[in-house]
Amino acid sequence: RKEVEQDPGPFNVPEGATVAFNCTYSNSASQSFFWYRQDCRKEPKLLMSVYSSGNEDGRFTAQLNRASQYISLLIRDSKLSDSATYLCVVNIMYSSASKIIFGSGTRLSIRP
Amino acid sequence: DTEVTQTPKHLVMGMTNKKSLKCEQHMGHRAMYWYKQKAKKPPELMFVYSYEKLSINESVPSRFSPECPNSSLLNLHLHALQPEDSALYLCASSQESSLGAEAFFGQGTRLTVV
């Protein structure tokens, strides 16, 4: 079983739509959680960290459920510029160091 | 300065060549990472350095040899690569491995093995 699983999509939605991405993780040693965004042929960039209390940054809302080992990202009022691959990322603590592990990514296309 | 700098941006090498990828950060981060990314796939972790020591090797073939000369620099030495090693190689850094902090990525080196 993969350590971080995501719906690969693709999601193709009209501008202004609300879209939700889900992610599950399997390792209980996971200590921190993030959503990254990656544009075509570019490096991944941090979109937001994810906290148990839920957090919001403008049109983006992230949620973490530790009991269910489930992470979500909600994008409201989507813009053309939101088109990208969204990667669920988990930091897993091991004895010597921690690993930052990526989900498979969900591709989002916003159409005019 | 929240930048991770990787050189070169592009590299074409033959299967008998030896080359090195370089990564530099000046954020005072003590954890540094190498990832490999193939087209339409997520980044796959290769190595983790914590306080300049190799902490995690994800069973990477020995034709890839990492080196951390100091806290700001991370190299990846390449020797006798195969065409299937062609990929985007990403370097990342984070504050400290044990803190669970986010990672900052360089722009990557796009490697082609011919």
Side-chain angles (χ1 to χ4, degrees), chain A residues 47-66:
Chain A
L47 180 66
M48 57 198 303
S49 301
V50 189
Y51 305 112
S52 298
S53 52
N55 49 304
E56 191 173 304
D57 182 1
R59 299 181 291 108
F60 298 85
T61 300
Q63 213 63 66
L64 165 65
N65 184 321
R66 282 189 185 269

Side-chain angles (χ1 to χ4, degrees), chain B:
Chain B
D1 180 9
T2 57
E3 203 171 85
V4 177
T5 305
Q6 287 188 245
T7 55
K9 288 196 169 26
H10 299 273
L11 178 63
V12 179
M13 63 184 288
M15 289 189 282
T16 58
N17 290 161
K18 283 186 183 181
K19 295 285 184 185
S20 297
L21 309 186
K22 296 187 184 302
C23 175
E24 191 168 2
Q25 58 87 14
H26 295 288
M27 295 179 276
H29 289 173
R30 304 317 298 266
M32 295 185 78
Y33 311 81
W34 280 114
Y35 286 82
K36 173 182 177 179
Q37 187 174 24
K38 302 282 274 184
K40 299 189 190 304
K41 298 286 186 184
E44 286 182 23
L45 183 63
M46 300 174 74
F47 302 105
V48 180
Y49 271 82
S50 180
Y51 287 90
E52 299 157 52
K53 289 191 176 3
L54 181 63
S55 300
I56 295 176
N57 176 340
E58 291 285 78
S59 304
V60 179
S62 59
R63 57 185 185 270
F64 295 92
S65 174
E67 178 200 18
C68 190
N70 61 54
S71 60
S72 300
L73 292 174
L74 186 67
N75 298 324
L76 186 63
H77 302 299
L78 314 173
H79 174 52
L81 294 196
Q82 303 296 310
E84 59 264 29
D85 295 322
S86 299
L88 179 67
Y89 287 85
L90 292 160
C91 173
S93 71
S94 66
Q95 272 185 331
E96 202 177 290
S97 191
S98 60
L99 293 180
E102 69 270 24
F104 294 85
F105 283 81
Q107 291 184 319
T109 294
R110 198 162 293 279
L111 174 69
T112 303
V113 182
V114 297

Side-chain angles (χ1 to χ4, degrees), chain A residues 71-92:
Chain A
I71 305 159
S72 64
L73 177 68
L74 186 76
I75 305 176
R76 288 182 301 279
D77 187 25
S78 52
K79 312 290 184 195
L80 294 175
S81 56
D82 294 334
S83 296
T85 297
Y86 290 82
L87 296 150
C88 176
V89 179
V90 173
N91 190 313
I92 304 171

